[in-house]
Amino acid sequence: MPRTIRITRSHKLATAVLVAAGSVTAIAATGGQSDAQPAAAKTSIAAEKVAGVSTAKEAAAKKAAQETAAKKAVAERKAAAEKAVADRKAAAEKAVADRKAEAKKAAEKARSEKQAANRSTERKAVAAPKQYKNNLDGWIRESLDIMKKKNIPGSYEGLHRNIMRESSGNPNAVNDWDINAQNGIPSKGLLQVIQPTFDAYHVNGTPKKLTDPVANITAAANYAADKYGSIDNVDSAY
C-alpha cells in the first residue's frame, strides 16, 4: 500500500513562506519591468524629436537651396535677356557704322577719281597745244597769245587794221617798188617787214622765216612796240 504522508503544521508554515517569497520575487520582477518601460519610451521620444529636428533642418536647407537656385535661374535669364538686347543694339550700331564707313569710303573714292580726272584733263590741256585756224584770224590770234607771253603790247584791232593796209591779208605779199626794194631788201609778208628788221625783232618761239604769217606779225608788233609804243599806234607806213 502506498505510504501516507502526514502534513504537519511545520510543513504548512514552510509552504506559506515559500509562496510568499515567490510572490515577492514576482512583484519585484514586475516592478523592474514597469520602471524600464517609461525610460525606453522617453529615449524613443527623444530620438524621434532629434530626428524630427534634423528632418526639419534638412527640409529648410533644401527649400533654401531651391529658392537660391530659382533666384539664380531668374538672374541668369535676366542677364541673358539683357545681353541679347545689348548684342542686338551693338549689332545694329555696327551695321550703321559700317554703312557710314562704306558711304564715306565710296565718297572719298569718287572724290579721288574726280580729282584724278581733273588732273588728267588739266595735264591734257597743258600738253595739248592750242589749235588755231590757218587763216588771217587764226594767225592774228596765235600772234596775240605769243605777244601776251612776251609782254608785247597790241590788240586784235591794231594788228588787223595794219595788216589790211599793208598787205590786204596776203602773207606772200612783196613790195618791189619802194626804197627798200631798190636797196635789194624788199618788204614782205602781212605787215611788210624787211629782212634786217625781222632778224633784229624776231620773237623766239616763232619760225625764223620772214613770210611766215605768225613770225611776220609778231616781229612787226615787237618792232612797233619798240618804236611807237604799240602796233595800235601805227596808222601808216612805219
Side-chain angles (χ1 to χ4, degrees):
M1 287 181 68
R3 187 179 175 179
T4 302
I5 300 172
R6 287 183 65 189
I7 297 173
T8 64
R9 181 177 177 82
S10 296
H11 288 151
K12 290 180 180 180
L13 289 172
T15 300
V17 171
L18 289 174
V19 170
S23 297
V24 171
T25 300
I27 292 170
T30 303
Q33 289 178 354
S34 178
D35 291 339
Q37 285 178 353
K42 290 179 180 180
T43 301
S44 176
I45 292 170
E48 288 177 358
K49 287 182 178 180
V50 171
V53 171
S54 177
T55 302
K57 287 183 177 180
E58 289 177 357
K62 184 176 180 181
K63 182 179 180 181
Q66 289 174 344
E67 290 176 351
T68 300
K71 289 180 180 179
K72 183 179 179 181
V74 170
E76 288 176 349
R77 286 195 296 271
K78 183 179 179 181
E82 291 176 349
K83 184 177 184 301
V85 171
D87 288 345
R88 287 195 295 272
K89 182 179 179 181
E93 291 176 349
K94 184 177 184 301
V96 171
D98 288 344
R99 287 195 295 272
K100 287 183 178 180
E102 290 176 0
K104 183 178 179 181
K105 185 177 180 181
E108 289 177 350
K109 182 180 179 181
R111 183 166 55 253
S112 177
E113 290 176 350
K114 183 178 180 180
Q115 290 174 347
N118 290 339
R119 288 193 296 269
S120 177
T121 301
E122 290 172 359
R123 284 194 296 269
K124 288 180 180 178
V126 171
K130 187 175 179 179
Q131 299 297 314
Y132 302 93
K133 293 180 180 180
N134 188 28
N135 56 25
L136 182 58
D137 177 74
W139 301 330
I140 293 175
R141 293 185 185 283
E142 185 174 356
S143 296
L144 284 170
D145 286 343
I146 296 171
M147 290 163 60
K148 184 178 180 179
K149 292 178 183 177
K150 302 295 183 178
N151 295 316
I152 300 171
S155 66
Y156 187 99
E157 187 278 330
L159 291 173
H160 187 270
R161 171 167 44 82
N162 282 285
I163 287 171
M164 295 309 293
R165 186 189 68 251
E166 293 292 332
S167 66
S168 299
N170 180 8
N172 296 313
V174 178
N175 185 325
D176 57 3
W177 54 268
D178 65 4
I179 187 63
N180 291 319
Q182 293 174 19
N183 292 331
I185 49 171
S187 301
K188 296 181 180 181
L190 292 172
L191 282 169
Q192 293 293 285
V193 182
I194 61 175
Q195 191 66 51
T197 301
F198 178 82
D199 293 339
Y201 290 94
H202 172 262
V203 177
N204 290 332
T206 63
K208 288 188 176 183
K209 182 180 179 182
L210 179 59
T211 56
D212 179 84
V214 176
N216 188 278
I217 293 172
T218 310
N222 192 25
Y223 168 77
D226 183 43
K227 298 300 181 179
Y228 306 102
S230 172
I231 191 69
D232 294 347
N233 298 329
V234 177
D235 292 311
S236 62
Y238 61 108

